[in-house]
Amino acid sequence: MVTVKIKDGTPRGSASLCVTCRYVHIVRGFSASEQQVRCQGVWPSQLMHFPVSQCSSYDDSRLPSKRDMEKIAWILLTKKA
């Protein structure tokens, strides 16, 4: 039997990248098929009709943003010699 490996093929059962993106607006209905995903990372915002696997405007909402990091950062003052 021959085993065939496909590099960069279509992944199965993976969630869309939009679910964890900071720039997404998701509207879900009562049914599992009722869902609208609108990307606000591009101008004008676009309705996504397919699950996204890679995006150049992706910003993970699970990680703190640059602004959040600046708010919690310590400001160190040093004396000139």
Side-chain angles (χ1 to χ4, degrees), residues 20 22 58-69:
T20 58
R22 192 176 310 275
Y58 177 73
D59 189 13
D60 196 343
S61 64
R62 299 171 294 181
L63 301 175
S65 67
K66 181 183 177 210
R67 184 170 185 263
D68 293 339
M69 295 293 281

Side-chain angles (χ1 to χ4, degrees), residues 16-74:
S16 176
L17 199 60
C18 297
V19 175
T20 58
C21 185
R22 192 176 310 275
Y23 303 121
V24 72
H25 180 75
I26 299 176
V27 178
R28 290 190 176 104
F30 291 106
S31 170
S33 63
E34 297 175 338
Q35 176 174 321
Q36 277 190 347
V37 177
R38 182 168 295 277
C39 178
Q40 297 176 339
V42 293
W43 179 255
S45 63
Q46 296 181 0
L47 191 62
M48 304 309 292
H49 299 284
F50 52 87
V52 176
S53 65
Q54 293 180 356
C55 180
S56 60
S57 298
Y58 177 73
D59 189 13
D60 196 343
S61 64
R62 299 171 294 181
L63 301 175
S65 67
K66 181 183 177 210
R67 184 170 185 263
D68 293 339
M69 295 293 281
E70 288 173 347
K71 285 169 54 176
I72 64 171
W74 290 6

